[in-house]
Amino acid sequence: MNGTLIPHTPIAVDFWSLRRAGSARLFFLSHMHSDHTVGLSSTWARPLYCSPITAYLVHRHLQVSKKWIRALEVGESHVLPLDEIGRETMTVTLLDANHCPGSVMFLFEGYFGTILYTGDFRYTPSMLKEPALKLGKQIHTLYLDNTNCNPARVLPSRQEAARQIIELIRKHPQHNIKIGLYSLGKESLLEQLALEFQTWVVLSPRRLELVQLLGLADVFTVEEKAGRIHAVDHMEVCRSAMLHWNQTHPTIAILPTSRKTHSSHPDIHIIPYSDHSSYSELRAFVAALKPCQVVPIVGRQPCRDYFQDSLSPRLSVPLVPHSVQQYMNSSSRKPSLLWLLLERRLKRPRTQGVVFDSFPETADQSQGDMDSQEAKNDNLSGHLEKQASHRPLQIKKPLLPDLCSKERDGAVPFSESQKMVTVLTAPLNVSVHLRSTDEEFMALETGEEIGVWPHSVPRGNHDGAVATGNQSTWMGQDCPLTHSSEATPLLAPEFRGLALKYLLTPVNFFQAQFSSRGFDQQVEKYHKHLLRYREENDTFV
């Protein structure tokens, strides 16, 4: 499995060889199994689209920069540009693939028709109830996981296979149990076994980190002697390991897989527990969708002939729009600044600028109430310090961190040491937390940060200095309310482009409805007022 380049489109799925990528410009990752990430490494420098869990894993384990990772919410539709002038777009919807944590199917819709790319998946009838599929859409091309597409290979459901594993363990009540697994997947099976036998499941530290991310039951540990069920790498399960384990304690090993595997020891048991669809499930899936054509993902095992009776009439090859052809044939595979701007523009319309989580205090207060209000805010600040890890207030970040920085030229607007959250005091004493661009993944639709761990928001004096005080601290030298010339501007002057102006414009300055052009004009109008105010002050001085 080395990925797919979808013909007549700029789309590549699980394909990471740029030398062979040809005209591919949009790269998607279905999940984090190693056979789907061949060629993906820390040097990757193109936008990469995947689910939020996969976004975390691809950064954590392959060190791909967060700058390039676009985390797309599962079950939602997202619009992407297919050229550099905004004429052609496509919609991509992520659907749960029921394969491993973070695995998704991609539903692409555009000038090429409708393409469903399953990646690795285990079919369940509930998939057909997904809003994106139950609307009766005609699937023109179905890229199908054909791992088990063989009528001679009969597989039980995962529920039945799990029962077989439970019965096997019950027959060995005094034995330790070694479960041979790949680095990702079958975590829910381990949870089921732990609850069934009321024992801890011993994991490696890396896998424990993953199950904590998934929010499974608290039945996992890294303490070797804490429980009798141990999850080990599938490569560890061999004859020599079985001899070693049985020298200290009676042990059996279980390999939950549908792959053809030879058992090298009588205590190694192979149970056909599979995260890939069985042949009968594939037949049911294709019969329900009635695609125009089926393309197998695993090339060494063709399966087209098995589904001829379930196909709709084929359509002609789509014409590639001229603007898309130019985009696909551009000399540089790196996304241009214009394309990145288009990617940002295509997010769902919503109020832009700085978004605050306001406290319940009323905004209009008399001057006589301000002293008591400050005391209330002090108490509120102490309360937030305790609650910060559960509900941090945060600034809504722009979609593309490189639009308001110069990382491409090696310059970074925030110092590398500034990894702490910067706490600013906004108008009306609203606390805002500004994270550096390297802390979170970008959500395409909203431009918001997508976090997978609860964030602890420290307050106090840190290397990334915490700003406190009045409104002058929030707006720095650009605000007409500034009373101190010592206030530090948020960014150096060379980084103050239109994108930064968006960030610094109070949200209540904008009209309720506006076009993208009108939005830019309002931002410029606001900052012209600031400039005029400063010039007038300089004249009086």
Side-chain angles (χ1 to χ4, degrees), residues 179-250:
I179 310 288
L181 303 174
Y182 292 92
S183 60
L184 181 67
K186 299 183 174 66
E187 288 75 19
S188 59
L189 171 63
L190 297 177
E191 179 187 45
Q192 181 181 353
L193 296 178
L195 296 174
E196 177 71 28
F197 294 101
Q198 295 295 297
T199 180
W200 292 98
V201 173
V202 180
L203 306 177
S204 66
R206 172 172 170 166
R207 200 172 203 111
L208 180 64
E209 181 182 312
L210 173 63
V211 297
Q212 289 173 341
L213 171 68
L214 299 176
L216 299 178
D218 185 15
V219 294
F220 303 97
T221 182
V222 294
E223 297 182 23
E224 189 69 23
K225 297 182 180 180
R228 57 186 289 242
I229 299 178
H230 297 226
V232 300
D233 188 275
H234 71 287
M235 296 297 292
E236 289 186 45
V237 179
C238 59
R239 179 178 177 81
S240 59
M242 292 302 301
L243 295 175
H244 173 72
W245 289 328
N246 278 280
Q247 284 179 355
T248 56
H249 194 280

Coordinates of all heavy atoms in Angstrom, one line a residue, residues 179-250:
I179 N -0.9 -10.2 24.0 CA -1.6 -9.8 22.8 C -0.7 -9.1 21.8 O -0.2 -8.0 22.1 CB -2.8 -8.9 23.1 CG1 -3.6 -9.4 24.3 CG2 -3.7 -8.7 21.9 CD1 -4.4 -10.7 24.0
G180 N -0.5 -9.7 20.7 CA 0.4 -9.1 19.7 C -0.3 -8.2 18.8 O -1.2 -8.6 18.0
L181 N 0.1 -6.9 18.8 CA -0.6 -5.9 18.0 C 0.4 -5.0 17.2 O 1.6 -5.0 17.5 CB -1.3 -4.9 19.0 CG -2.4 -5.6 19.9 CD1 -2.9 -4.5 20.9 CD2 -3.5 -6.2 19.1
Y182 N -0.2 -4.3 16.2 CA 0.6 -3.2 15.6 C 0.6 -2.0 16.5 O -0.1 -2.0 17.5 CB -0.1 -2.9 14.2 CG 0.1 -4.1 13.2 CD1 -0.9 -5.1 13.1 CD2 1.2 -4.2 12.4 CE1 -0.8 -6.1 12.2 CE2 1.4 -5.2 11.5 CZ 0.4 -6.2 11.4 OH 0.5 -7.2 10.5
S183 N 1.3 -1.0 16.0 CA 1.5 0.2 16.9 C 0.2 1.0 17.1 O 0.1 1.7 18.1 CB 2.6 1.1 16.3 OG 2.2 1.6 15.0
L184 N -0.8 0.8 16.3 CA -2.0 1.5 16.4 C -3.2 0.6 16.0 O -3.1 0.0 15.0 CB -1.9 2.7 15.4 CG -3.1 3.7 15.4 CD1 -3.3 4.4 16.7 CD2 -3.0 4.7 14.2
G185 N -4.2 0.6 16.8 CA -5.4 -0.2 16.5 C -5.7 -1.2 17.6 O -4.8 -1.6 18.3
K186 N -7.0 -1.6 17.7 CA -7.5 -2.6 18.6 C -7.4 -2.2 20.1 O -7.4 -3.1 21.0 CB -6.7 -4.0 18.4 CG -6.9 -4.5 17.0 CD -6.2 -5.9 16.8 CE -6.5 -6.5 15.5 NZ -6.0 -5.7 14.3
E187 N -7.3 -0.9 20.3 CA -7.4 -0.4 21.7 C -8.7 -0.7 22.4 O -8.7 -1.1 23.6 CB -7.1 1.1 21.7 CG -5.7 1.5 21.4 CD -5.3 1.4 19.9 OE1 -6.3 1.4 19.1 OE2 -4.1 1.4 19.6
S188 N -9.8 -0.7 21.6 CA -11.1 -1.0 22.2 C -11.2 -2.5 22.6 O -11.9 -2.9 23.5 CB -12.2 -0.7 21.2 OG -12.1 -1.4 20.0
L189 N -10.5 -3.4 21.8 CA -10.5 -4.8 22.2 C -9.7 -5.0 23.6 O -10.2 -5.7 24.4 CB -9.7 -5.6 21.1 CG -9.4 -7.0 21.5 CD1 -10.7 -7.9 21.7 CD2 -8.5 -7.7 20.4
L190 N -8.6 -4.3 23.7 CA -7.9 -4.4 25.0 C -8.8 -3.9 26.2 O -8.8 -4.5 27.2 CB -6.6 -3.5 24.9 CG -5.6 -4.0 23.9 CD1 -4.4 -3.0 23.9 CD2 -5.1 -5.4 24.2
E191 N -9.5 -2.8 25.9 CA -10.4 -2.3 27.0 C -11.5 -3.3 27.3 O -11.8 -3.5 28.5 CB -11.1 -1.0 26.5 CG -12.0 -0.4 27.5 CD -12.8 0.8 26.9 OE1 -13.2 0.7 25.7 OE2 -12.9 1.8 27.6
Q192 N -12.0 -4.0 26.3 CA -13.1 -5.0 26.5 C -12.5 -6.1 27.3 O -13.2 -6.6 28.3 CB -13.6 -5.5 25.2 CG -14.7 -6.5 25.3 CD -15.2 -7.0 23.9 OE1 -14.8 -6.5 22.9 NE2 -16.0 -8.0 23.9
L193 N -11.3 -6.6 27.0 CA -10.7 -7.7 27.8 C -10.4 -7.3 29.2 O -10.6 -8.1 30.1 CB -9.4 -8.1 27.1 CG -9.5 -8.7 25.7 CD1 -8.2 -9.1 25.1 CD2 -10.5 -9.9 25.7
A194 N -10.0 -6.1 29.4 CA -9.7 -5.6 30.8 C -11.0 -5.6 31.6 O -11.0 -6.0 32.8 CB -9.1 -4.2 30.8
L195 N -12.0 -5.1 31.1 CA -13.3 -5.1 31.8 C -13.9 -6.5 32.0 O -14.5 -6.8 33.0 CB -14.3 -4.2 31.1 CG -13.9 -2.7 30.9 CD1 -14.9 -2.0 30.0 CD2 -13.8 -2.0 32.3
E196 N -13.7 -7.3 31.0 CA -14.3 -8.7 31.1 C -13.6 -9.5 32.2 O -14.2 -10.2 33.0 CB -14.1 -9.4 29.8 CG -14.5 -10.9 29.8 CD -16.1 -11.0 29.9 OE1 -16.8 -10.1 29.4 OE2 -16.5 -12.0 30.4
F197 N -12.3 -9.4 32.4 CA -11.5 -10.2 33.3 C -11.0 -9.4 34.5 O -10.3 -9.9 35.4 CB -10.3 -10.8 32.6 CG -10.7 -11.8 31.6 CD1 -10.7 -11.4 30.2 CD2 -11.1 -13.1 31.9 CE1 -11.0 -12.4 29.3 CE2 -11.4 -14.0 31.0 CZ -11.4 -13.6 29.6
Q198 N -11.5 -8.1 34.6 CA -11.2 -7.3 35.8 C -9.7 -7.3 36.1 O -9.3 -7.6 37.3 CB -12.0 -7.8 37.0 CG -13.5 -7.7 36.9 CD -13.9 -6.2 36.8 OE1 -13.7 -5.4 37.7 NE2 -14.5 -5.8 35.7
T199 N -8.9 -6.9 35.1 CA -7.5 -6.9 35.3 C -6.9 -5.7 34.5 O -7.5 -5.2 33.6 CB -6.8 -8.2 34.8 OG1 -5.4 -8.1 35.0 CG2 -7.1 -8.4 33.3
W200 N -5.8 -5.2 35.0 CA -5.1 -4.2 34.3 C -4.5 -4.7 33.0 O -4.1 -5.9 32.9 CB -3.9 -3.6 35.1 CG -4.3 -2.9 36.3 CD1 -4.4 -3.3 37.6 CD2 -4.8 -1.5 36.3 NE1 -4.9 -2.3 38.4 CE2 -5.1 -1.2 37.7 CE3 -4.9 -0.5 35.4 CZ2 -5.5 0.1 38.1 CZ3 -5.3 0.8 35.8 CH2 -5.6 1.0 37.1
V201 N -4.4 -3.9 31.9 CA -3.7 -4.2 30.7 C -2.4 -3.5 30.7 O -2.5 -2.2 30.8 CB -4.6 -3.9 29.5 CG1 -3.8 -4.1 28.2 CG2 -5.8 -4.8 29.4
V202 N -1.3 -4.2 30.5 CA 0.0 -3.5 30.6 C 0.4 -3.1 29.2 O 0.3 -3.9 28.2 CB 1.1 -4.5 31.1 CG1 2.4 -3.8 31.2 CG2 0.7 -5.0 32.5
L203 N 0.7 -1.8 29.0 CA 1.0 -1.2 27.7 C 2.4 -0.6 27.7 O 3.0 -0.4 28.8 CB 0.0 -0.1 27.3 CG -1.5 -0.5 27.3 CD1 -2.3 0.8 27.0 CD2 -1.8 -1.6 26.4
S204 N 3.0 -0.3 26.6 CA 4.2 0.5 26.5 C 3.8 1.9 26.7 O 2.6 2.3 26.6 CB 4.8 0.4 25.0 OG 3.9 0.9 24.1
P205 N 4.8 2.7 27.2 CA 4.4 4.2 27.4 C 3.8 4.9 26.2 O 2.9 5.7 26.4 CB 5.8 4.8 27.8 CG 6.6 3.6 28.4 CD 6.1 2.4 27.6
R206 N 4.3 4.5 25.0 CA 3.8 5.1 23.8 C 2.3 4.8 23.6 O 1.5 5.7 23.3 CB 4.6 4.7 22.6 CG 4.0 5.2 21.3 CD 5.0 4.9 20.1 NE 4.4 5.1 18.8 CZ 5.0 5.2 17.7 NH1 6.3 5.1 17.7 NH2 4.4 5.3 16.5
R207 N 2.0 3.6 23.8 CA 0.5 3.2 23.6 C -0.3 3.7 24.7 O -1.5 4.1 24.5 CB 0.4 1.6 23.5 CG -0.9 1.2 22.9 CD -0.9 -0.3 22.6 NE -1.9 -0.5 21.5 CZ -1.6 -0.9 20.3 NH1 -0.3 -1.2 20.0 NH2 -2.5 -1.1 19.4
L208 N 0.2 3.8 25.9 CA -0.6 4.4 27.0 C -0.9 5.9 26.7 O -2.0 6.3 27.0 CB 0.2 4.3 28.3 CG -0.5 4.9 29.6 CD1 -1.7 4.1 29.9 CD2 0.5 4.9 30.8
E209 N 0.0 6.6 26.1 CA -0.2 7.9 25.7 C -1.4 8.0 24.8 O -2.3 8.9 24.8 CB 1.0 8.5 25.1 CG 0.9 10.0 24.6 CD 2.2 10.4 24.0 OE1 3.3 10.2 24.6 OE2 2.1 11.0 22.9
L210 N -1.5 7.1 23.9 CA -2.6 7.0 22.9 C -3.9 6.7 23.5 O -4.9 7.4 23.2 CB -2.2 6.0 21.8 CG -3.4 5.7 20.8 CD1 -3.7 7.0 20.0 CD2 -3.0 4.6 19.9
V211 N -4.0 5.7 24.4 CA -5.3 5.4 25.0 C -5.8 6.5 25.9 O -7.0 6.7 26.0 CB -5.2 4.0 25.7 CG1 -4.9 2.9 24.8 CG2 -4.3 4.1 26.9
Q212 N -4.9 7.2 26.5 CA -5.3 8.4 27.3 C -5.9 9.5 26.4 O -6.9 10.2 26.8 CB -4.1 8.9 28.1 CG -3.7 8.0 29.2 CD -2.4 8.5 29.9 OE1 -1.6 9.3 29.3 NE2 -2.1 8.0 31.1
L213 N -5.3 9.6 25.2 CA -5.9 10.6 24.2 C -7.3 10.2 23.8 O -8.1 11.0 23.6 CB -4.9 10.6 23.0 CG -5.4 11.4 21.8 CD1 -5.4 12.9 22.1 CD2 -4.5 11.1 20.6
L214 N -7.5 8.9 23.7 CA -8.8 8.4 23.2 C -9.9 8.4 24.2 O -11.1 8.3 23.9 CB -8.7 6.9 22.7 CG -7.7 6.8 21.5 CD1 -7.6 5.3 21.2 CD2 -8.1 7.6 20.3
G215 N -9.5 8.6 25.5 CA -10.6 8.7 26.5 C -11.2 7.4 26.9 O -12.4 7.3 27.3
L216 N -10.4 6.3 26.8 CA -10.9 5.0 27.1 C -11.0 4.8 28.6 O -10.5 5.6 29.4 CB -10.1 3.9 26.5 CG -10.0 3.9 24.9 CD1 -9.1 2.8 24.4 CD2 -11.4 3.7 24.4
A217 N -11.5 3.7 29.1 CA -11.6 3.4 30.5 C -10.2 3.3 31.2 O -9.3 3.0 30.5 CB -12.4 2.1 30.8
D218 N -10.2 3.7 32.4 CA -8.9 3.7 33.1 C -8.5 2.3 33.6 O -8.6 1.9 34.7 CB -9.0 4.6 34.4 CG -7.7 4.8 35.1 OD1 -6.6 4.4 34.5 OD2 -7.7 5.2 36.3
V219 N -8.1 1.5 32.6 CA -7.8 0.1 32.8 C -6.4 -0.2 32.3 O -6.0 -1.4 32.2 CB -8.8 -0.9 32.2 CG1 -10.2 -0.7 32.9 CG2 -8.9 -0.6 30.7
F220 N -5.6 0.8 32.0 CA -4.3 0.6 31.4 C -3.2 1.1 32.3 O -3.3 2.0 33.1 CB -4.2 1.3 30.0 CG -5.3 0.9 29.1 CD1 -6.4 1.6 28.9 CD2 -5.1 -0.3 28.3 CE1 -7.4 1.2 28.0 CE2 -6.1 -0.7 27.4 CZ -7.3 0.1 27.3
T221 N -2.0 0.4 32.2 CA -0.9 0.8 33.0 C 0.4 0.4 32.3 O 0.4 -0.4 31.3 CB -0.9 0.1 34.4 OG1 0.2 0.5 35.2 CG2 -0.9 -1.5 34.2
V222 N 1.5 1.0 32.8 CA 2.8 0.6 32.3 C 3.6 -0.3 33.2 O 4.7 -0.8 32.9 CB 3.7 1.8 31.9 CG1 3.1 2.6 30.8 CG2 3.9 2.7 33.2
E223 N 3.0 -0.6 34.4 CA 3.6 -1.4 35.4 C 3.6 -2.9 35.0 O 2.5 -3.5 34.8 CB 3.0 -1.3 36.8 CG 3.1 0.2 37.3 CD 2.5 0.3 38.7 OE1 2.3 -0.8 39.4 OE2 2.1 1.4 39.1
E224 N 4.7 -3.5 34.8 CA 4.9 -4.8 34.2 C 4.1 -5.9 34.9 O 3.5 -6.8 34.3 CB 6.3 -5.2 34.1 CG 6.6 -6.4 33.3 CD 6.4 -6.2 31.8 OE1 6.4 -5.1 31.3 OE2 6.2 -7.2 31.1
K225 N 4.1 -5.8 36.2 CA 3.4 -6.9 37.0 C 2.1 -6.5 37.5 O 1.5 -7.2 38.4 CB 4.4 -7.3 38.2 CG 5.7 -7.8 37.7 CD 6.6 -8.2 38.9 CE 7.9 -8.7 38.5 NZ 8.8 -9.1 39.6
A226 N 1.5 -5.5 37.0 CA 0.2 -5.0 37.5 C -1.0 -5.9 37.1 O -2.0 -6.0 37.8 CB 0.0 -3.6 37.1
G227 N -0.9 -6.5 35.9 CA -2.0 -7.3 35.3 C -1.5 -8.4 34.5 O -0.3 -8.5 34.2
R228 N -2.4 -9.4 34.2 CA -2.0 -10.6 33.5 C -2.1 -10.4 31.9 O -1.6 -11.3 31.2 CB -2.8 -11.8 33.9 CG -4.3 -11.6 33.8 CD -5.0 -12.8 34.5 NE -4.8 -14.0 33.7 CZ -5.8 -14.7 33.1 NH1 -7.1 -14.3 33.2 NH2 -5.6 -15.8 32.5
I229 N -2.7 -9.4 31.4 CA -2.8 -9.1 30.0 C -1.8 -8.1 29.6 O -1.8 -7.0 30.1 CB -4.3 -8.7 29.6 CG1 -5.3 -9.8 30.0 CG2 -4.3 -8.4 28.1 CD1 -6.7 -9.5 29.7
H230 N -1.0 -8.4 28.7 CA 0.1 -7.5 28.2 C -0.1 -7.3 26.7 O -0.1 -8.3 25.9 CB 1.5 -8.1 28.5 CG 1.8 -8.3 29.9 ND1 3.0 -7.9 30.5 CD2 1.0 -8.9 30.9 CE1 2.9 -8.2 31.8 NE2 1.8 -8.8 32.1
A231 N -0.1 -6.1 26.3 CA -0.1 -5.8 24.8 C 1.4 -5.6 24.4 O 2.1 -4.8 25.0 CB -0.9 -4.5 24.5
V232 N 1.8 -6.4 23.4 CA 3.2 -6.3 22.9 C 3.2 -6.1 21.4 O 2.1 -6.3 20.7 CB 3.9 -7.6 23.3 CG1 4.0 -7.8 24.8 CG2 3.3 -8.8 22.6
D233 N 4.3 -5.7 20.9 CA 4.4 -5.6 19.4 C 4.3 -7.0 18.8 O 4.8 -8.0 19.3 CB 5.8 -5.0 19.0 CG 5.8 -4.7 17.6 OD1 6.2 -5.6 16.8 OD2 5.6 -3.6 17.2
H234 N 3.5 -7.1 17.7 CA 3.3 -8.4 17.1 C 4.6 -9.1 16.6 O 4.6 -10.3 16.6 CB 2.3 -8.2 15.9 CG 3.0 -7.6 14.7 ND1 3.3 -6.2 14.6 CD2 3.4 -8.1 13.5 CE1 3.9 -5.9 13.5 NE2 3.9 -7.0 12.8
M235 N 5.6 -8.3 16.4 CA 6.9 -9.0 16.0 C 7.6 -9.7 17.2 O 8.4 -10.5 17.0 CB 7.8 -7.9 15.4 CG 7.3 -7.3 14.1 SD 7.2 -8.5 12.8 CE 8.9 -8.9 12.5
E236 N 7.2 -9.3 18.4 CA 7.8 -9.9 19.6 C 7.3 -11.4 19.8 O 7.9 -12.2 20.5 CB 7.5 -9.1 20.8 CG 8.2 -7.8 20.9 CD 7.9 -7.1 22.3 OE1 8.0 -7.8 23.3 OE2 7.6 -5.9 22.3
V237 N 6.1 -11.6 19.2 CA 5.5 -13.0 19.4 C 6.1 -14.0 18.5 O 5.8 -14.1 17.3 CB 3.9 -12.9 19.2 CG1 3.3 -14.3 19.4 CG2 3.3 -11.9 20.1
C238 N 7.0 -14.8 19.1 CA 7.8 -15.8 18.3 C 8.2 -16.9 19.2 O 7.9 -16.9 20.4 CB 9.0 -15.2 17.7 SG 10.2 -14.5 18.8
R239 N 8.8 -17.9 18.7 CA 9.1 -19.1 19.5 C 10.0 -18.8 20.6 O 9.8 -19.3 21.8 CB 9.7 -20.2 18.5 CG 10.1 -21.5 19.3 CD 10.6 -22.5 18.3 NE 11.0 -23.7 19.1 CZ 10.2 -24.7 19.5 NH1 8.9 -24.6 19.3 NH2 10.7 -25.7 20.2
S240 N 11.1 -18.1 20.3 CA 12.1 -17.8 21.4 C 11.5 -17.0 22.5 O 11.8 -17.2 23.7 CB 13.3 -17.0 20.8 OG 12.9 -15.8 20.2
A241 N 10.6 -16.0 22.2 CA 9.9 -15.2 23.2 C 9.0 -16.1 24.1 O 8.9 -15.9 25.3 CB 9.2 -14.1 22.6
M242 N 8.3 -17.0 23.4 CA 7.4 -17.9 24.2 C 8.2 -18.8 25.2 O 7.8 -19.0 26.3 CB 6.6 -18.8 23.2 CG 5.6 -18.0 22.4 SD 4.4 -17.1 23.3 CE 3.6 -18.4 24.3
L243 N 9.3 -19.3 24.7 CA 10.2 -20.1 25.6 C 10.6 -19.2 26.8 O 10.6 -19.7 28.0 CB 11.3 -20.6 24.9 CG 11.0 -21.7 23.8 CD1 12.3 -22.1 23.0 CD2 10.3 -22.9 24.4
H244 N 11.0 -18.0 26.5 CA 11.5 -17.1 27.6 C 10.4 -16.7 28.6 O 10.6 -16.8 29.8 CB 12.1 -15.8 27.0 CG 12.5 -14.8 28.0 ND1 13.5 -14.9 28.8 CD2 11.9 -13.6 28.3 CE1 13.6 -13.8 29.6 NE2 12.6 -13.0 29.3
W245 N 9.2 -16.4 28.0 CA 8.1 -16.0 28.9 C 7.7 -17.2 29.8 O 7.3 -17.0 31.0 CB 6.9 -15.5 28.1 CG 7.1 -14.2 27.4 CD1 7.9 -13.1 27.9 CD2 6.6 -13.7 26.2 NE1 7.9 -12.1 27.0 CE2 7.1 -12.4 26.0 CE3 5.8 -14.3 25.2 CZ2 6.8 -11.7 24.8 CZ3 5.5 -13.6 24.1 CH2 5.9 -12.3 23.9
N246 N 7.6 -18.4 29.3 CA 7.2 -19.5 30.0 C 8.2 -20.0 31.0 O 7.8 -20.8 31.9 CB 6.8 -20.7 29.1 CG 5.4 -20.5 28.5 OD1 4.4 -20.8 29.2 ND2 5.3 -20.0 27.3
Q247 N 9.4 -19.5 31.0 CA 10.4 -19.9 32.0 C 10.0 -19.3 33.4 O 10.3 -19.8 34.4 CB 11.8 -19.5 31.6 CG 12.4 -20.4 30.5 CD 13.8 -19.9 30.1 OE1 14.2 -18.8 30.5 NE2 14.4 -20.7 29.3
T248 N 9.4 -18.1 33.3 CA 9.1 -17.4 34.5 C 7.6 -17.5 35.0 O 7.3 -17.5 36.1 CB 9.4 -15.9 34.4 OG1 8.6 -15.4 33.2 CG2 10.8 -15.6 34.1
H249 N 6.7 -17.7 34.0 CA 5.3 -17.8 34.3 C 4.6 -18.4 33.1 O 4.9 -18.1 32.0 CB 4.7 -16.5 34.6 CG 3.3 -16.6 35.3 ND1 2.2 -16.8 34.6 CD2 3.0 -16.5 36.6 CE1 1.1 -16.8 35.5 NE2 1.6 -16.7 36.7
P250 N 3.6 -19.3 33.3 CA 2.8 -19.9 32.2 C 2.2 -18.8 31.3 O 1.5 -17.9 31.9 CB 1.8 -20.8 32.8 CG 2.4 -21.1 34.2 CD 3.2 -19.9 34.6

